[in-house]
Amino acid sequence: MHLVAIGECMVELAPAGDALFAMGFAGDTFNTAWYMRRLLPAAARVSYLSAVGKDALSDRMVDFMAAEGIAVDHVQRVPGRSVGLYLIQVTDGERSFAYWRSCSAARLLAEDPARLDLALAGADLIYLSGITLAILGADARSRLSAALARARAAGSKVAFDPNIRPALWSDPATMLQSISGMAAGADIVLPSYDDEARHFGDPDPVATAQRYAGNGAALVVVKDGPKPVVTWQAGRSDRHPVPVLTMPVVDTTAAGDSFNAGFLASYLSGENLGNAVAAGTSVAGRVIAGPGALVRDAVARIG
Ligand code: ADP
């Protein structure tokens, strides 16, 4: 099994006492890669396709990825740029995020088609999100789509989480068009219903699944917080209840990212749809019972 996740990992600064912040590393597609690395057998290869700077902070991020078992051969080094950063603030128990990412090196991850082909060669699964698309310019998005199409023609499967974040896009029309375009070139689409309802106006999760299936995806898996996961495959829709949590919700960061990891690791290991959804909800349920995006004790290796 060879997985390649594409996107941006950022420095995370989380409150750690009076005027102190703890530094970590996270980012939606990176979180999914990290969980998949922990779920898949040791022989599987999990690689991250991204770009960072040549500075000391970028070095620390790449060292962290490598120490976590993620292959960094295709994390490109861009001189004169650095990694993005976000700071978590907690006011009256509510978390909010401030981002510094507009000039990050990751925005240049799709400049060179030959580099993309090399990074994607031999991948069984390629994973990316709407955030991956949002940080790229229009030309880079086209280069990435073309590289994904070549990889699919060579036998890779593509999984895409629309992860709709309007603040990262220049305008809503470009956002919706780019997301629909990428979903049309994906085998598996993993949307979250609340985002889809807000931006595409879907009346229910089945409508979301049907829209992406109509676009061309062979399998659509719609997440909806504690409500049932809706799957759509071969013209058939199924509802999979999410088990009631046995632990209180502490922090829902990375619920969707970790669900995707659990689902994909299980589905690609040959499990049926129902079991793969159960693997996704089980990982996500444990992740939201712990603080932060990367919850170490939320997962145990499959096989
Ligand atoms: P996202 O983080 O992308 O918005 P969701 O909120 O839809 O994703 O949640 C993804 C998954 O996390 C759900 O399918 C479910 O398995 C789990 N989850 C999220 N919130 C809860 C909750 N309150 N109770 C149980 N499971 C939850």
Side-chain angles (χ1 to χ4, degrees), residues 192 194 223-226 229 242-243 245 249 255-256 259 281 284 288:
S192 283
D194 55 353
K223 297 154 276 174
D224 192 10
V229 174
V242 172
L245 297 177
V249 175
F259 172 93
T281 58
I288 62 181

